[in-house]
Amino acid sequence: MQPKDVQPTAWERVREFIDAGDAAGVAAAVAALDGAGRRAVAHELPGHVAVARARAERLHQEQRDLMDRECAARRAEVERLHAAGRFRDEEEYRGAWAATWHRPWWRLPPVPDWTGPMRVAGAGVIGGAAAAAAWINRGELGGWDLHGDPAAAPLLTAITARPVAWQADLAVRLALRVRDGRRSLPLRDGNLPLALALLRRTGVTPPEHDPLVAGWVSLGARLGELRTDPLLDHFLPRIFEAEGVGRVLRGERPDAPRPDSWLGALCALAAEGRVDRALLLGGCRRRFLRGGEGPDLRFFAHLHELLAPSPAEIGPHAVDYLRLLPTAPALVAESALRHLRRLPGLDPEDVAEALEGLLFRAETGLVRAGLSWWDEAVRRAPGRADAFAPALAAAFGHQARAVQERAVRLAVRHAGRFTPLGAEALRAAVEPLPPASRDRLAAVIGGEPAGGPEPGTGAGTGNGAGAGADSGVSPEEEVFVPRALPAPVRPVPLAGPPDTPGYLADLYPRGDWQAAERCLAAFVRLAARDRESLRACLAPLAGGEEGRLLNEEWREPGDWMTALAAELASHGRAYTNAFTAFSAGTRRGLAGGG
């Protein structure tokens, strides 16, 4: 024991706060230390981890032992009352006995948390920022988070007491430790909020780290905070480039923006002039051109449309939008096509090249819109019809009959504008078309007629598929003729439960589930209606099986039926002790972990 006039050392003061679970006390203590005191505490911290953990485990074990003693005392009291006949029936006794296994942990004082104070101490005394970042994320200290963590404010207090340059170095190192949420535990990873808080405080430039940008976005977009957020100008251009941002924002909907919606916030900031519209539109275009899966580009497509770019904003970048038509996801390609169709003066060669890729796509709606644009382009530049012929030929091979028929009608409509070169390009692509369509083309652009009816359209088929122009049915429609469905199999009702004890006894040994269900239903009814007769019929079924069933699991319906027969024959005493012992062992194992 120290004399009263001997002052505790720096480490002893910090250790007392750690053992008491006082993170705020640790922060205040380390903030008051000089360089020598910090070095002394930093030297002792690693060795105290095992000591603090062992102390916490000992306290937890003492609490478990105390609870076990209380539970044992309560069970002894229940047994005493049971022996004295103080319970109304066996069910009340069993309920009271089962309740003795509940451990009232809420009545015990909590064991002081040592991990948070230990993390605060390391952040306040470890010299190098790299070593401090490693200590904060030390696996032995467990997961952590700034939100709702009692040690959050003390941790920031300890860090902000250090030099600003050290804080900036730590902020960058913590930012680089932020991981993709798919490969980490996002709910207990405090690197992201701590790094963002330090980046804002120090003003240091955030590192180029995609998970950091995705994490910043995942925290939501509160408009009032975004307006003054110093990180907005750093991170906003990066959201169009960082992997994972589109996945985080998949749930954003333009028709139902939430209060923390990024779509609504960015559009509002653009309208206010806080964010440059050109930056947002250019970022969307770059993100589209980089490619990706449709769901990951959905947010950027919605943002692009909510910004409603004018033709003056689209025109200088028309080539970029044309490049999106052949391969971009349908949502992006539809948006690009919609804006391009409003632009005058596009180079017909560029349009023809883009249309050739667009009309080769599989999406029916997108290809139909492309055919409408093809029609407009040929009308605007009739002398360049041959340049557009390969695009129309690509639509001849589409899997949808309606698209094929639309392409054929356009070819027939503009046949007079094609030179022999353009007509040859169309003739070379007619093989996938049905015979009737090929015949219509041959009549206007030349070539051999297909001859004969289309497959499935001969006399007597009656389905009308692929009907020609004279059939009275639109070539874009297919007549649906329902076929007769086979008659359903008539269900056979199951046999009813046995209605006599003898019938039930005969059915008992069977192991199929139907027999088990019928036996259970009959047992309940007959036990209430004629218990003595049922007992007399089922008693022979239990003979010689009690020993086996006491030592084996009851896996088959027959085992349970035999047990029911034994319980009925013994007036409810055959398996009571075995069930009680089994239940006690099970509860003990669940409660004590053994």
Side-chain angles (χ1 to χ4, degrees):
M1 183 175 178
Q2 286 185 341
K4 293 184 178 180
D5 56 344
V6 177
Q7 296 295 324
T9 64
W11 165 241
E12 289 171 343
R13 289 195 301 271
V14 173
R15 184 184 61 193
E16 289 177 1
F17 287 121
I18 292 175
D19 292 342
D22 187 354
V26 171
V30 298
L33 295 176
D34 56 12
R38 287 195 178 94
R39 288 191 293 272
V41 174
H43 177 73
E44 297 290 344
L45 272 179
H48 193 62
V49 171
V51 176
R53 182 173 60 243
R55 179 176 180 273
E57 291 174 352
R58 185 177 66 255
L59 292 176
H60 280 295
Q61 185 60 49
E62 290 174 358
Q63 289 188 341
R64 286 194 293 268
D65 294 342
L66 176 60
M67 289 290 98
D68 286 342
R69 290 193 295 271
E70 288 191 8
C71 289
R74 289 157 57 198
R75 283 193 294 274
E77 178 64 15
V78 168
E79 294 295 345
R80 186 187 67 79
L81 295 175
H82 180 54
R86 301 291 294 275
F87 294 105
R88 292 190 302 270
D89 50 32
E90 191 71 13
E91 183 177 355
E92 183 181 9
Y93 158 64
R94 292 184 181 183
W97 184 85
T100 62
W101 291 92
H102 298 298
R103 294 176 171 178
W105 294 104
W106 58 89
R107 294 198 287 105
L108 295 177
V111 174
D113 173 45
W114 62 276
T115 59
M118 188 75 77
R119 183 175 284 110
V120 172
V125 301
I126 294 177
W135 177 269
I136 290 172
N137 288 275
R138 187 166 177 153
E140 295 165 294
L141 302 184
W144 61 289
D145 190 2
L146 286 187
H147 300 295
D149 194 328
L155 181 61
L156 282 172
T157 300
I159 292 174
T160 53
R162 311 293 295 271
V164 175
W166 186 93
Q167 296 179 46
D169 190 5
L170 179 65
V172 172
R173 294 180 183 277
L174 291 175
L176 292 174
R177 283 179 171 267
V178 176
R179 292 292 176 261
D180 189 335
R182 296 177 299 174
R183 297 189 292 270
S184 63
L185 299 176
L187 296 180
R188 294 293 291 168
D189 180 8
N191 285 304
L192 174 64
L194 181 57
L196 293 177
L198 293 177
L199 289 172
R200 292 186 177 104
R201 177 181 177 84
T202 61
V204 66
T205 301
E208 298 287 328
H209 188 49
D210 288 357
L212 178 64
V213 181
W216 177 70
V217 169
S218 70
L219 297 179
R222 288 166 287 276
L223 182 58
E225 297 177 8
L226 276 180
R227 288 191 180 100
T228 58
D229 189 353
L231 298 179
L232 176 65
D233 295 329
H234 292 288
F235 284 150
L236 186 56
R238 292 277 299 144
I239 69 173
F240 303 101
E241 303 170 1
E243 290 296 330
V245 172
R247 182 173 58 255
V248 171
L249 298 177
R250 282 183 178 186
E252 294 263 340
R253 292 291 182 269
D255 53 344
R258 303 187 307 271
D260 58 347
S261 165
W262 276 98
L263 289 174
L266 291 180
C267 289
L269 292 174
E272 297 169 2
R274 173 66 177 84
V275 172
D276 187 5
R277 280 176 55 87
L279 183 147
L280 298 179
L281 291 173
C284 291
R285 280 194 305 272
R286 292 194 306 273
R287 189 67 186 85
F288 297 154
L289 292 171
R290 289 179 62 230
E293 298 180 358
D296 290 344
L297 297 180
R298 184 184 299 140
F299 167 80
F300 304 103
H302 291 327
L303 175 61
H304 186 275
E305 293 308 293
L306 286 175
L307 291 172
S310 65
E313 292 173 308
I314 296 292
H317 309 282
V319 174
D320 291 337
Y321 288 95
L322 288 168
R323 290 168 56 194
L324 295 174
L325 297 179
T327 59
L331 183 64
V332 176
E334 289 171 0
S335 173
L337 178 59
R338 186 165 48 252
H339 290 293
L340 286 170
R341 292 181 66 176
R342 295 187 300 157
L343 294 181
L346 290 175
D347 186 349
E349 294 292 338
D350 292 336
V351 174
E353 182 179 354
L355 277 172
E356 187 172 354
L358 175 63
L359 298 183
F360 191 75
R361 297 184 62 132
E363 298 91 343
T364 301
L366 189 56
V367 174
R368 289 169 64 88
L371 288 173
S372 297
W373 191 33
W374 187 95
D375 187 24
E376 295 172 4
V378 173
R379 291 177 185 276
R380 284 197 295 264
R384 309 294 295 274
D386 285 352
F388 295 100
L392 190 61
F396 289 169
H398 198 275
Q399 60 185 358
R401 181 65 60 84
V403 170
Q404 291 181 328
E405 292 293 342
R406 179 94 178 265
V408 168
R409 288 201 307 274
L410 290 176
V412 172
R413 181 183 304 165
H414 297 284
R417 295 190 170 107
F418 296 115
T419 68
L421 184 63
E424 180 59 30
L426 295 179
R427 285 195 296 269
V430 299
E431 184 65 29
L433 294 174
S437 299
R438 293 167 61 183
D439 290 343
R440 291 170 59 197
L441 276 177
V444 294
I445 64 173
E448 294 293 331
E454 296 185 47
T457 60
T461 58
N463 59 8
D470 297 333
S471 65
V473 178
S474 170
E476 297 186 13
E477 300 177 357
E478 294 185 1
V479 179
F480 173 70
V481 179
R483 294 182 298 174
L485 297 176
V489 179
R490 183 166 184 168
V492 179
L494 293 175
D499 54 357
T500 64
Y503 183 11
L504 176 58
D506 292 337
L507 192 61
Y508 247 48
R510 302 185 187 178
D512 58 279
W513 70 268
Q514 294 97 334
E517 294 287 346
R518 295 168 63 198
C519 286
L520 286 174
F523 186 93
V524 173
R525 295 178 182 178
L526 295 174
R529 190 173 65 193
D530 191 359
R531 184 180 294 264
E532 293 304 323
S533 298
L534 183 62
R535 181 179 292 116
C537 290
L538 297 185
L541 298 177
E545 294 291 327
E546 182 175 358
R548 179 180 67 83
L549 295 181
L550 286 175
N551 297 297
E552 295 181 3
E553 294 183 0
W554 302 351
R555 295 181 177 272
E556 301 297 332
D559 294 336
W560 288 90
M561 299 304 172
T562 302
L564 286 173
E567 286 292 295
L568 184 65
S570 63
H571 297 275
R573 294 189 298 272
Y575 297 101
T576 300
N577 294 333
F579 175 75
T580 301
F582 171 76
S583 301
T586 301
R587 295 191 186 97
R588 191 180 304 113
L590 292 176

